[in-house]
Amino acid sequence: MSHARVALLISGGGSNMVALVRSMYGTHPARPVLVVSNRADAGGLQLAADLGVPTAVLDHRGFGGDRAAFEVALMDLIDAAQPDIVCLAGFMRILGPEFVAHYAGRLLNIHPSLLPKYRGLDTHARALAACEHEAGCTVHEVTAALDEGPILGQARVPVLPGDTPQTLGARVLAMEHQLYPAVLARFALGERDLVRLEAGDQT
Ligand code: GRF
């Protein structure tokens, strides 16, 4: 059986990347082929190497603010690994229309809110400030608009009394690690139906 080839883009700790890489074994329809970070100090790079996945760094700061040039170089780097699917996993750069178009239909992202609520940053603080009773995360296909694109999966968690952005964020992150692999496994088989997870579904 030929596996779908997956490239993963990170900027930081890479816990979602690790969850995805660990999920791709056995009968899973995909395999990780590359982890790219735009930061040389991203903790996830060593974790990926420890898991036996090739890694690369492309520092956006070397492009002097020329986002288009950075993205051309990033596409070259990614395409050399011939991925079928590209997963953004805590990749903290906004990607322009050329990049998004180049990977149309095979570019996924995870966002720590129940989209369409709370696009952008500081999602947990904003959810708490709005007195939400539930929060969660969303895996979606990436389109040109920030944190939009077809939703492929959502996981919900309760907001608990006394929650801080940190405690809520940790609860959501645990669900991110369940949701993203669940969506990727289906996506790699061409399935686009919505995956729904609740906090109690954690194994
Ligand atoms: C996650 O909360 C993800 O949703 C957000 O950035 C965080 C990345 O964490 N976009 P990690 O690098 O996967 O640990």
Side-chain angles (χ1 to χ4, degrees), residues 50-71:
D50 290 346
L51 289 163
V53 182
T55 63
V57 175
L58 187 71
D59 192 335
H60 60 278
R61 293 171 302 184
F63 292 82
D66 187 343
R67 189 179 73 176
F70 167 68
E71 291 182 6

Side-chain angles (χ1 to χ4, degrees), residues 125-166:
R126 289 156 61 205
L128 291 173
C131 299
E132 297 281 2
H133 294 293
E134 64 173 10
C137 51
T138 302
V139 176
H140 63 98
E141 277 190 57
V142 178
T143 55
L146 180 67
D147 297 328
E148 292 193 26
I151 291 176
L152 298 167
Q154 287 194 313
R156 294 168 188 278
V157 302
V159 175
L160 299 179
D163 260 341
T164 64
Q166 289 70 33

Side-chain angles (χ1 to χ4, degrees), residues 94-113:
I94 291 175
L95 294 163
E98 287 83 11
F99 185 98
V100 171
H102 184 68
Y103 297 106
R106 54 192 179 117
L107 182 59
L108 305 183
N109 183 43
I110 188 156
H111 182 75
S113 79

Side-chain angles (χ1 to χ4, degrees), residues 12-17 89-92 109-112 124 173 176-177:
S15 68
N16 276 290
M17 176 275 297
F91 185 69
M92 301 303 284
N109 183 43
I110 188 156
H111 182 75
H124 306 306
L173 189 62
E176 293 181 38
H177 299 161

